[in-house]
Amino acid sequence: MEGALHPMRLKQLLHFAAFPKLNKTHFIFRNTRSFSTTRCASSPAVAGARNRRPSSSQTSTSDREAIRAIRIKKVEELRSKGLDAYAYTWQRTHAANQLQEIYRDLGNGEEAVCESDRVSIAGRIVARRAFGKLAFLTLRDESGTIQLYCEKEMLLSDQFEHLKTLVDIGDILGAEGSIKRTEKGELSVCVTSFSILTKSLLPLPDKYHGLTDIDKRYRQRYIDMIANPEVADVFRKRAKIISEIRKTVESAGFIEVETPVLQGAAGGAEARPFITYHNSLGQDLYLRIATELHLKRMLVGGFEKVYEIGRIFRNEGLSTRHNPEFTTIEMYEAYTDYESMMNMAEEIVTRSALAVNGKLIIDYQGVEISLERPWRRETMHNLVKEATGIDFAKFEDLTAAKEVALQMLNAGGDNQNKSSIEACPSVGHVLNEVFELVVEPKLLQPTFVLDYPLEVSPLAKPHRRHAGLTERFELFVCGREMANAFSELTDPLDQRERLEDQVRQHKKKNAALVSEDKSKKVDGDDDAYDVNLDEDFLTALEYGMPPASGMGIGIDRLVMLLTNSVSIRDVIAFPVLKTPRV
Amino acid sequence: MASAKPKGHAKKTAAAAEDEGMDPTQYFENRLRALAAQKEAGSNPYPHKFEAQLSIPEYVKKYENLSSGEHLEDVEVRIAGRIMNKRSSSSKLFFYDLHGGGAKVQVMTDERTSELEGEEFTRFHSSVKRGDIVGIVGFPGKSKRGELSIFPKTFIVLSHCLHMMPRQKVTPGGGAENTKTTDVWIPGTGRNPESYILKDQETRYRQRYLDLMLNMEVREIFRTRSKIISYIRHFLDERDFLEVETPMMNMIAGGAAARPFVTHHNDLNLKLFMRIAPELYLKELVVGGLDRVYEIGKQFRNEGIDLTHNPEFTTCEFYMAFADYNDLMRLTEDMLSGMVKELTGGYIIKYHANGLDQDPIEIDFTPPFRRIDMIDELEKIAKLNIPKDLSSEETNKYLVDACAKFEIKCPPPQTTTRLLDKLVGHFLEETCVNPAFIINHPEIMSPLAKWHRSKPGLTERFELFINKHEVCNAYTELNDPVVQRQRFADQLKDRQSGDDEAMALDETFCTALEYGLPPTGGWGLGIDRFAMLLTDSQNIKEVLLFPAMKPLEDLNKESNKKTQDGPLAQERNTVQPNWDRGSMKNGRRHKI
């Protein structure tokens, strides 16, 4: 990116785009657009001739249509000259960045003229300046950018004319030539021949047709990526992180398996599932909300270290941290407990951080985070005590616990919090609620929160020393949950009781919601959803599952952290948006 | 192995036989009572952790070279696993087979080396059941007959098997317990599920954990599957491809060629469709400048379940800018032959293509693969002279007649695409046992492939066939948006009715093309199908850990009707898998 001049302009542009509420900026864009239109559309008569698409951008349909019509004409012109506007293939010798690297020491005004300095490159034209017999084009490929130096004299026959009349910004070009650095210091390919590989029909967002529509950045991710190469970097890092996670767990002997997305009962978490219907089975199916229960079946089957990286689906609202489908890794290891999963979590996160950032001190939205090991390990009880002075271990009585919690929260005064405390069915729930309200947001540096109450951990093994608690931890970084792990519950009777209890609690909540619905007429078809027991899973446990630990890590959130991305939408290539993607 | 077996018949009895023939419900209740008693006595029947120092394969590797009768009494080892067999030769001596990680070791439990004594020892070991998961601290050694064993000091039950484990029926002359485990199955060799300890397909697929516990080969099937995917990933990573994830849920149904699953997002009050293919998104990323992308993931089609179809299945698709279908054929050869070589040790695999009762056929992956020019070869083999304009009425009529002549059935609608597909299936695909590319499909069969650079009416497309079935589909991508629109419009004519959603999708896709897709080669592979080949599986359920199954209630209804055949009878009787059942195999919008 270093050598690139023009993309800077785009970067600035997107900087504006990030603040769509600045109406003034909008206004300026709009005013200038008419200028651009007259510049581009030399035959406005064609405008609007093909008015078949709904326009999703602010660029008016007629502008786009006019440009499109002109460019389709150019395609025809190319064909009439026996040239192909859509080539089949192109042999490249180098990527742009490779050239920048190889010729780093080439001085200003110097040329490299050996036979080996003849190169062939391909990419998209993102900027262009033309003077009488000279034209400069900026070509961008996946690795970076390089300038094309086009001199009429050096090009074959009428290629220079083609360049001026038939090539537009946005076209994908293949070019051959030698290497030189201009007097101004720009490394360039001195083009001796070029060929249009793909003619683009629509104008790229540029200074005039800026990407002011935030939604459009996600909706048409390819435009976002063309306009702003940094966007693609996030996805490169995402791939690297996932690859590093795989390497980490595979070097520890874990094997990857695939468990079903479509299930007869959605278990392993408490979340509203998506429901679909299989026609030929004549059966409702649920989209998985976790991979846990099937991976545990693998432990029963004799696999001792398994993992799955895959998509999870939850029928919940959108936010900067929530997309209806997201990616997790879940892993299970026989004959270990949650202590060893803490080490694994540290290993996975630090190795991923080093793979993409090369260091363990990272910046997340202005907060400096140190991922240096070891990370703090503290029980939930102690963290709550530390933050509030309340020792929930003392409470046996639910009402007393609620009273104290409410007293403490009242200092802040928030009705929502109040009702969520009041709804708690057990001391454990109260503790958890206070933890979430008071402690969670403050856990900026990586912290393992240990020993969750039994009532909120239906799949975790009871703590070997502390009654009422489980051997469970969650990892928090920047106030966000990154991982959740336990010593797995292996006792099938205990498991059955706890899941049945969960179903009971859930039904109670549903019933409450339904009656509330009647009185208040809350909108939406239903907030209630069914939770079913996964009987097959319970049967599997009855065949005996070895003592084991298991962990789930939210990969999207990890990528957000390691790429300093503020929204989950920045790390998912095609996030779900509130309005349809057409 | 033989040494593990107690000498006389009489000795084999005690512990093992005590539960034999007991009613399963009774057995389960007994075990529950034993557990309750243990809890009552204040001990935890499910310990939190047992530190296993070595896995069983590691243990075997480390000590397999001991000589017969050698005991390393000074060494303390900790291992854990599941007991798959139990014998006693006296109240002071119990033998167990301990399984884990695909290997097994004998546990020779002698009262003299145990921490427990006398009555206590006997009582404890009488309570240990086949199927229990145990941790053992002891020393390594070999029996006098050379069987690698562990001699426990401490023996802890870590988890209990509350159900009676299925066991192999003792066949005449083969007192075989669970002992036929030493021959490790290797990918690419034949497999015989008929010889499994647990044979019942319903149980194997519904309770895969039992299948994995009892049938040692099954574990290797899934390891092979995992290795196939790893190999592909590694192969593409090495060539600078970027792995990406595109949505599995879309607001627009993914094209008209397959029926999608529909679901509903409550909060957005939005209808969503499960993807049937990632193709469009991946090409959009190439438009966006990611020159080489791939995705390995699930696709979903709301279709019937049979020997080769599961509602969710795994594919790999990749897109490579500046490459064409010739490049991709070479890549395909490199990838698949390299994979077969690495996983099986050679280029030739064995596959029971004609049922388990016939000899397996050989499939040779030695590159290069044969290339069959579709129309030319069809004309040559069937002695046809198909009119050049494939979209004409004349051609349609010609092909109707051709099918009639060869008695090839083509149910309506008898479109040119479908007629050609039938003829190609009959004359060409049937010849493709070893991997072979059928190339240069007509434009009317391939709406997303680019027109051939030198053969009018054809496209630059290939399908790879192995054992007569399609495994890969790839083409030089059509990137001319004007031509693409025309193709979509033409295809609409073939459809019974206009489909608004499919058209909306087409429009999104064409818009992306208008921003310019570089010359690109795109490729798709059905991973389940390929895994079937390397694991000698004739049923896709063999390579899916948890295949979709009919609800049990339905089965009960059915089995009342046809008790004799059993629920899977239909599948079992169909020897030749019906791979290409879809009427839209060609003309479809998706790679696989």
Side-chain angles (χ1 to χ4, degrees):
Chain A
M1 225 54 61
E2 282 75 18
L5 291 175
H6 303 290
M8 287 308 293
R9 202 174 55 190
L10 295 170
K11 217 190 282 180
Q12 258 172 349
L13 176 74
L14 279 180
H15 188 67
F16 282 124
F19 299 98
K21 280 175 192 155
L22 294 180
N23 285 326
K24 230 176 177 180
T25 326
H26 264 272
F27 196 66
I28 292 166
F29 284 164
R30 259 175 229 195
N31 273 351
T32 43
R33 198 192 313 124
S34 59
F35 164 68
S36 86
T37 310
T38 46
R39 197 187 55 157
C40 301
S42 52
S43 96
V46 199
R50 299 185 61 183
N51 202 7
R52 53 190 288 182
R53 104 207 24 254
S55 170
S56 58
S57 78
Q58 291 173 353
T59 313
S60 78
T61 310
S62 60
D63 287 355
R64 284 158 55 93
E65 291 302 318
I67 292 167
R68 215 160 140 272
I70 293 164
R71 293 197 182 178
I72 287 176
K73 278 224 156 124
K74 290 184 182 178
V75 171
E76 283 159 10
E77 200 181 329
L78 279 165
R79 287 205 174 119
S80 74
K81 292 179 196 289
L83 298 169
D84 194 349
Y86 300 96
Y88 283 82
T89 175
W90 182 261
Q91 295 300 328
R92 288 195 281 188
T93 58
H94 293 84
N97 245 19
Q98 274 178 314
L99 293 177
Q100 299 284 4
E101 194 58 34
I102 295 171
Y103 296 101
R104 196 173 28 186
D105 298 329
L106 194 69
N108 289 0
E110 280 178 21
E111 287 184 48
V113 287
C114 292
E115 191 51 35
S116 63
D117 296 318
R118 295 203 53 82
V119 300
S120 164
I121 53 169
R124 197 181 284 274
I125 301 304
V126 293
R128 184 171 80 148
R129 286 171 296 152
F131 312 96
K133 294 185 171 180
L134 198 57
F136 298 97
L137 281 69
T138 305
L139 177 141
R140 185 193 301 144
D141 64 16
E142 201 180 332
S143 71
T145 60
I146 192 159
Q147 177 163 278
L148 302 183
Y149 179 96
C150 308
E151 219 180 307
K152 187 171 181 180
E153 310 299 304
M154 295 181 64
L155 283 161
L156 283 175
S157 56
D158 48 0
Q159 274 215 316
F160 191 76
E161 284 314 305
H162 292 174
L163 193 68
K164 282 177 88 170
T165 55
L166 298 176
V167 173
D168 291 291
I169 292 177
D171 290 356
I172 295 166
L173 248 62
E176 288 172 334
S178 57
I179 292 288
K180 84 179 233 179
R181 194 180 288 282
T182 62
E183 294 295 345
K184 288 184 174 171
E186 190 71 29
L187 187 73
S188 311
V189 174
C190 271
V191 180
T192 51
S193 82
F194 76 91
S195 128
I196 296 178
L197 302 180
T198 298
K199 184 80 200 136
S200 71
L201 298 187
L202 290 175
L204 291 183
D206 59 19
K207 198 170 172 179
Y208 304 104
H209 304 80
L211 265 184
T212 48
D213 178 355
I214 282 276
D215 250 22
K216 185 174 177 172
R217 291 187 45 198
Y218 301 124
R219 208 180 298 287
Q220 286 176 287
R221 180 68 86 179
Y222 52 91
I223 300 184
D224 189 20
M225 283 165 48
I226 296 169
N228 189 1
E230 290 89 81
V231 171
D233 279 345
V234 170
F235 297 104
R236 283 193 200 97
K237 285 184 176 174
R238 182 181 175 108
K240 217 176 212 174
I241 288 167
I242 293 178
S243 174
E244 191 63 31
I245 294 174
R246 272 209 179 86
K247 271 188 226 155
T248 307
V249 299
E250 284 185 357
S251 67
F254 284 79
I255 175 167
E256 185 164 20
V257 296
E258 292 170 273
T259 64
V261 169
L262 302 170
Q263 308 181 340
E270 179 141 19
R272 177 203 299 280
F274 284 99
I275 305 170
T276 186
Y277 181 78
H278 190 282
N279 297 334
S280 85
L281 289 183
Q283 187 192 6
D284 272 343
L285 292 172
Y286 298 89
L287 271 59
R288 68 181 175 196
I289 54 172
T291 46
E292 174 151 5
L293 303 188
H294 281 86
L295 290 174
K296 284 181 176 173
R297 285 167 167 92
M298 304 305 296
L299 290 182
V300 174
F303 280 93
E304 291 173 0
K305 297 177 180 184
V306 289
Y307 79 98
E308 177 166 14
I309 292 179
R311 218 68 65 80
I312 303 295
F313 305 82
R314 294 190 186 166
N315 197 343
E316 292 164 354
L318 309 179
S319 82
T320 53
R321 281 175 297 149
H322 297 91
N323 193 61
E325 53 180 297
F326 56 99
T327 304
T328 65
I329 176 173
E330 281 196 34
M331 50 193 305
Y332 292 84
E333 183 178 16
Y335 311 116
T336 61
D337 58 14
Y338 74 146
E339 294 279 345
S340 69
M341 276 301 161
M342 281 186 245
N343 299 335
M344 183 55 91
E346 287 180 342
E347 191 73 21
I348 286 173
V349 175
T350 53
R351 281 181 62 164
S352 299
L354 289 173
V356 295
N357 294 321
K359 56 187 181 97
L360 292 178
I361 307 290
I362 57 169
D363 170 67
Y364 185 75
Q365 303 297 312
V367 182
E368 188 184 282
I369 305 291
S370 167
L371 299 174
E372 297 282 355
R373 297 165 74 173
W375 300 340
R376 188 178 181 205
R377 301 180 182 195
E378 193 51 88
T379 65
M380 181 186 266
H381 269 291
N382 285 345
L383 286 167
V384 168
K385 199 156 78 181
E386 192 179 282
T388 65
I390 307 170
D391 183 1
F392 278 92
K394 285 192 313 202
F395 293 108
E396 303 251 323
D397 179 47
L398 176 60
T399 345
K402 280 186 185 173
E403 210 166 285
V404 174
L406 285 172
Q407 232 166 34
M408 183 272 301
L409 287 170
N410 265 347
D414 184 331
N415 281 335
Q416 183 114 39
N417 297 345
K418 208 170 152 187
S419 64
S420 62
I421 293 282
E422 270 161 1
C424 287
S426 75
V427 179
H429 283 96
V430 179
L431 169 70
N432 190 49
E433 200 65 41
V434 172
F435 169 78
E436 283 179 10
L437 290 171
V438 181
V439 183
E440 244 185 55
K442 291 183 189 152
L443 299 176
L444 300 182
Q445 300 302 323
T447 308
F448 290 112
V449 178
L450 314 186
D451 302 347
Y452 279 58
L454 193 106
E455 301 91 324
V456 297
S457 315
L459 295 160
K461 206 161 200 164
H463 198 285
R464 66 192 87 178
R465 286 186 304 276
H466 304 291
L469 300 182
T470 56
E471 297 199 351
R472 169 181 174 190
F473 73 80
E474 288 195 353
L475 169 64
F476 285 86
V477 186
C478 287
R480 285 178 193 164
E481 178 201 339
M482 290 281 164
N484 184 16
F486 357 111
S487 301
E488 300 297 338
L489 181 55
T490 48
D491 181 342
L493 302 179
D494 192 359
Q495 184 67 83
R496 176 177 291 277
E497 249 170 62
R498 292 216 232 157
L499 290 182
E500 281 175 352
D501 189 52
Q502 197 186 20
V503 172
R504 260 195 307 277
Q505 296 279 1
H506 188 84
K507 284 197 172 135
K508 217 153 102 190
K509 225 194 284 176
N510 275 1
L513 272 174
V514 169
S515 62
E516 208 174 298
D517 249 6
K518 274 180 194 149
S519 56
K520 285 199 210 158
K521 273 229 155 196
V522 181
D523 72 311
D525 38 4
D526 55 334
D527 265 313
Y529 59 94
D530 288 335
V531 172
N532 298 319
L533 269 196
D534 187 340
E535 279 291 343
D536 288 341
F537 167 66
L538 290 170
T539 307
L541 279 192
E542 287 172 357
Y543 279 94
M545 182 174 108
S549 62
M551 173 162 67
I553 297 178
I555 288 182
D556 308 280
R557 289 189 185 174
L558 180 61
V559 175
M560 283 168 71
L561 177 74
L562 298 181
T563 57
N564 194 11
S565 300
V566 71
S567 166
I568 196 168
R569 267 168 258 175
D570 297 323
V571 302
I572 291 179
F574 302 96
V576 172
L577 300 167
K578 286 201 169 121
T579 43
R581 179 196 130 90
V582 178
Chain B
M1 201 71 48
S3 70
K5 279 184 206 158
K7 288 159 216 149
H9 250 256
K11 287 185 178 175
K12 180 175 169 173
T13 53
E18 75 194 16
D19 307 317
E20 218 45 49
M22 188 185 281
D23 167 56
T25 318
Q26 182 66 45
Y27 183 93
F28 181 58
E29 279 166 8
N30 285 354
R31 297 236 65 193
L32 286 182
R33 261 198 297 281
L35 271 191
Q38 210 177 327
K39 282 183 189 170
E40 206 147 297
S43 75
N44 177 9
Y46 291 95
H48 284 72
K49 189 186 177 187
F50 177 84
E51 180 103 46
Q53 198 176 49
L54 294 175
S55 70
I56 294 179
E58 283 165 350
Y59 181 87
V60 170
K61 206 171 164 199
K62 191 161 179 185
Y63 296 111
E64 66 190 347
N65 292 325
L66 295 181
S67 44
S68 296
E70 188 178 357
H71 293 180
L72 303 179
E73 299 196 18
D74 299 336
V75 178
E76 186 182 276
V77 195
R78 304 169 62 90
I79 59 173
R82 190 185 289 272
I83 288 171
M84 293 306 290
N85 199 15
K86 178 184 176 186
R87 306 171 298 278
S88 64
S89 67
S90 75
S91 64
K92 302 280 159 68
L93 190 57
F94 291 82
F95 297 92
Y96 299 95
D97 288 343
L98 188 68
H99 285 222
K104 71 160 195 165
V105 67
Q106 175 173 257
V107 183
M108 202 166 159
T109 316
D110 191 329
E111 193 239 13
R112 284 168 300 177
T113 52
S114 169
E115 288 169 350
L116 299 176
E117 286 176 10
E119 275 292 289
E120 212 185 344
F121 177 87
T122 312
R123 204 178 318 122
F124 176 80
H125 282 283
S126 305
S127 77
V128 175
K129 302 292 180 198
R130 182 161 174 267
D132 284 354
I133 290 169
V134 302
I136 285 162
V137 186
F139 63 83
K142 266 195 180 165
S143 71
K144 282 184 201 125
R145 298 202 174 196
E147 171 127 14
L148 178 62
S149 308
I150 185 166
F151 297 83
K153 290 183 190 115
T154 311
F155 190 112
I156 308 164
V157 178
L158 301 173
S159 192
H160 307 260
C161 182
L162 304 182
H163 295 284
M164 209 187 268
M165 285 262 262
R167 67 167 67 232
Q168 191 164 41
K169 293 266 170 9
V170 180
T171 48
E177 287 282 338
N178 190 27
T179 49
K180 47 172 305 243
T181 48
T182 41
D183 297 334
V184 179
W185 173 83
I186 297 163
T189 59
R191 215 160 48 82
N192 186 6
E194 294 293 321
S195 70
Y196 283 179
I197 293 170
L198 178 65
K199 284 197 207 39
D200 178 61
Q201 283 186 314
E202 279 293 319
T203 314
R204 287 187 54 213
Y205 301 147
R206 280 184 201 279
Q207 293 175 281
R208 181 67 84 184
Y209 49 89
L210 285 179
D211 190 27
L212 286 163
M213 269 183 234
L214 292 158
N215 304 325
M216 300 285 270
E217 261 171 33
V218 173
R219 176 191 178 82
E220 295 307 314
I221 297 176
F222 292 102
R223 286 172 59 92
T224 303
R225 184 187 169 102
S226 183
K227 281 183 194 158
I228 289 171
I229 294 175
S230 274
Y231 187 93
I232 296 171
R233 197 170 260 136
H234 188 71
F235 182 92
L236 293 174
D237 287 346
E238 252 186 351
R239 286 160 181 78
D240 285 328
F241 281 83
L242 192 71
E243 184 169 17
V244 296
E245 294 167 88
T246 64
M248 291 192 183
M249 295 195 303
N250 298 306
M251 297 187 202
I252 306 168
R259 189 190 282 198
F261 283 99
V262 187
T263 185
H264 185 258
H265 190 290
N266 287 49
D267 200 58
L268 298 177
N269 192 19
L270 201 65
K271 195 175 176 183
L272 292 169
F273 302 89
M274 301 301 288
R275 74 174 175 195
I276 59 165
E279 177 156 358
L280 165 60
Y281 283 116
L282 291 175
K283 283 192 217 172
E284 284 187 20
L285 291 175
V286 181
V287 171
L290 299 178
D291 285 346
R292 295 180 179 191
V293 292
Y294 73 100
E295 179 164 15
I296 295 175
K298 292 274 177 72
Q299 316 305 333
F300 305 86
R301 296 190 193 155
N302 201 341
E303 296 170 350
I305 296 172
D306 62 26
L307 282 176
T308 53
H309 294 85
N310 194 63
E312 58 183 286
F313 57 99
T314 304
T315 65
C316 173
E317 287 197 14
F318 74 70
Y319 292 82
M320 187 177 186
F322 308 112
D324 61 14
Y325 81 140
N326 292 308
D327 299 318
L328 297 198
M329 277 191 265
R330 279 188 295 273
L331 267 186
T332 309
E333 285 165 345
D334 287 353
M335 180 196 280
L336 299 186
S337 65
M339 182 198 300
V340 169
K341 185 91 188 275
E342 180 165 305
L343 266 62
T344 71
Y347 285 129
I348 297 174
I349 64 164
K350 286 198 176 0
Y351 186 80
H352 281 92
N354 306 307
L356 287 173
D357 46 354
Q358 303 286 315
D359 285 339
I361 60 161
E362 286 192 344
I363 302 174
D364 185 352
F365 282 84
T366 309
F369 302 159
R370 188 158 65 111
R371 296 180 187 193
I372 302 167
D373 206 309
M374 182 190 275
I375 299 294
D376 284 359
E377 199 72 13
L378 181 62
E379 289 187 325
K380 210 188 299 171
I381 293 187
K383 302 203 168 50
L384 296 174
N385 191 5
I386 304 169
K388 283 288 160 274
D389 181 2
L390 290 167
S391 56
S392 67
E393 272 304 312
E394 181 200 358
T395 308
N396 187 265
K397 176 136 196 336
Y398 183 88
L399 294 173
V400 169
D401 294 345
C403 278
K405 180 175 139 201
F406 295 112
E407 295 182 346
I408 295 167
K409 287 201 186 93
C410 179
Q414 292 190 324
T415 60
T416 302
T417 302
R418 285 167 54 85
L419 291 161
L420 267 176
D421 195 38
K422 294 290 169 200
L423 287 164
V424 168
H426 183 84
F427 288 105
L428 302 183
E429 293 173 13
E430 281 299 305
T431 69
C432 303
V433 174
N434 291 336
F437 297 114
I438 294 183
I439 66 173
N440 301 340
H441 300 53
E443 277 180 22
I444 49 166
M445 296 174 97
S446 313
L448 295 164
K450 197 159 181 169
W451 66 91
H452 197 284
R453 66 191 84 181
S454 59
K455 298 180 178 179
L458 304 184
T459 60
E460 298 200 346
R461 172 178 172 195
F462 70 80
E463 289 176 290
L464 177 68
F465 282 81
I466 308 176
N467 183 35
K468 307 174 187 173
H469 302 307
E470 184 203 359
V471 173
C472 284
N473 183 26
Y475 29 87
T476 307
E477 298 294 336
L478 176 54
N479 60 346
D480 180 336
V482 176
V483 175
Q484 184 67 78
R485 277 217 170 79
Q486 190 54 49
R487 293 258 190 96
F488 284 158
D490 291 346
Q491 220 194 11
L492 262 185
K493 289 184 218 150
D494 257 12
R495 283 186 220 153
Q496 301 259 316
S497 62
D499 180 340
D500 290 346
E501 275 157 355
M503 283 168 68
L505 182 84
D506 296 349
E507 203 39 52
T508 312
F509 177 56
C510 290
T511 303
L513 288 189
E514 286 175 344
Y515 283 94
L517 172 71
T520 297
W523 183 93
L525 167 79
I527 287 182
D528 309 279
R529 289 185 176 190
F530 200 73
M532 286 171 70
L533 287 168
L534 291 195
T535 58
D536 191 19
S537 302
Q538 287 73 45
N539 186 340
I540 194 172
K541 292 187 176 71
E542 289 285 319
V543 300
L544 299 170
L545 279 171
F546 302 98
M549 303 290 284
K550 286 183 184 171
L552 274 171
E553 311 88 73
D554 293 7
L555 279 184
N556 295 338
K557 273 181 234 152
E558 269 176 41
S559 62
N560 288 341
K561 274 185 241 154
K562 41 173 184 179
T563 40
Q564 216 178 350
D565 292 347
L568 283 182
Q570 215 182 346
E571 288 184 16
R572 214 177 290 134
N573 294 340
T574 319
V575 171
Q576 190 62 46
N578 173 23
W579 297 78
D580 300 317
R581 178 202 40 169
S583 59
M584 291 293 290
K585 177 180 147 278
N586 279 303
R588 68 192 173 195
R589 299 289 185 75
H590 37 82
K591 286 251 157 38
I592 284 296

